[in-house]
Amino acid sequence: MARTLSDKVIIITGASSGIGAATALACADAGMHVVLNGRDTARLDHVAAQVRARGRLAETVVGDVTEAGMSARLLDAAFACHGRFDVVFANAGYGLKQPTHELPEADLRHIFDVNFFAATDLLCEAARRLIAERRGGHLLMCSSCLAVFTMPGFAAYSASKAAQHHVCRSMRMDLRTFGIEVSSVHPIGTDTGFVEVATVASKRLGGNLPMHVGPRWMMQRPETVARAVVRCLRRPNPEVWTSFSVRLAAGLMRVCPRLMDLVARLGQARQSRQP
């Protein structure tokens, strides 16, 4: 039986644009109230206004997810406004494209700080509070299809997303007895600001790798991911994939690593032919 989402409260990081913003609106359409986090006040306020226009409540918490105490601030904001939270979606993250051997240690650590450590801290703090209150809930992280296979230059990003994937699987088993669901979300290429942010980060490091994340026909809109997240909230699933074909290909590449090498070579050859 599908779970009702009406009047449930969701906390979303990275909610000022892309998947986070689309998920906030999709959850509002499903009857949920939202607590939004992001670094851009104007964009965050715009998303909050759209949520309120749908007749739902929205609270904003501006700041970087790596700031000390941010997990507590987000959870406290939910309690201050609603007296509870039911869902936490750790969505904030970024990527860059740089050969592993040329990636400065500081940048490797920072991408893990944002993508993995901040997200894990938020979900663990949320789990502890839900357990203390003897309430169930649903915790999600926005991982990636690149959690289970990778592409040239994306080692740091893929490694951080793989870490997210594994911590979600382990947390799901750890928290099952408390009635807390845990899911990892695995989008394919999505029309967000990911490529622009990754391009800036890579150029700062002197990178000159072509910034292609896949052909246009393989790109999805953030609304596609948002709808998949809402479906998972209604019918909890360990993993949320937005493309069956990519999920199948990921499984094949795990079984046969040489296939991943072949796909990478074909992709590099295609990029080299582009003007």
Side-chain angles (χ1 to χ4, degrees), residues 83-263:
R84 61 184 290 166
F85 67 88
D86 303 283
V87 181
V88 176
F89 183 26
N91 167 72
Y94 80 103
L96 53 80
K97 190 174 185 180
Q98 188 77 0
T100 313
H101 63 283
E102 297 177 2
L103 185 65
E105 180 183 347
D107 290 275
L108 176 61
R109 291 184 179 277
H110 186 258
I111 199 168
F112 267 85
D113 282 341
V114 176
N115 293 2
F116 177 71
F117 287 110
T120 301
D121 180 70
L122 176 59
L123 263 57
C124 287
E125 179 62 24
R128 288 190 289 266
R129 295 197 186 194
L130 289 172
I131 292 170
E133 295 167 15
R134 299 182 182 275
R135 290 200 307 109
H138 199 154
L139 311 177
L140 305 94
M141 278 191 199
C142 192
S143 182
S144 168
C145 62
L146 295 186
V148 292
F149 66 93
T150 190
M151 297 188 296
F154 280 95
Y157 178 76
S158 294
S160 68
K161 293 300 178 177
Q164 286 183 323
H165 172 53
H166 286 296
V167 80
C168 283
R169 294 296 286 141
S170 183
M171 286 184 71
R172 182 178 179 84
M173 293 182 279
D174 294 336
L175 297 173
R176 183 181 294 119
T177 57
F178 299 101
I180 301 172
E181 298 283 351
V182 183
S183 305
S184 55
V185 183
H186 299 266
I188 61 173
T190 308
D191 287 321
T192 65
F194 175 88
V195 172
E196 291 76 10
V197 172
T199 300
V200 171
S202 298
K203 286 184 177 179
R204 175 177 56 79
L205 297 174
N208 58 4
L209 295 177
M211 188 56 67
H212 299 292
V213 294
R216 290 299 307 171
W217 62 267
M218 282 190 64
M219 298 294 289
Q220 293 180 333
R221 292 185 55 77
E223 290 76 13
T224 301
V225 184
R227 288 192 295 269
V229 169
V230 171
R231 287 196 297 271
C232 181
L233 296 181
R234 289 194 169 113
R235 298 183 182 276
N237 203 322
E239 298 178 22
V240 178
W241 285 78
T242 57
S243 170
F244 175 78
S245 59
V246 172
R247 186 175 191 177
L248 178 61
L252 291 174
M253 284 189 280
R254 277 190 284 187
V255 173
C256 182
R258 289 183 183 275
L259 179 60
M260 187 187 303
D261 294 343
L262 175 61
V263 171

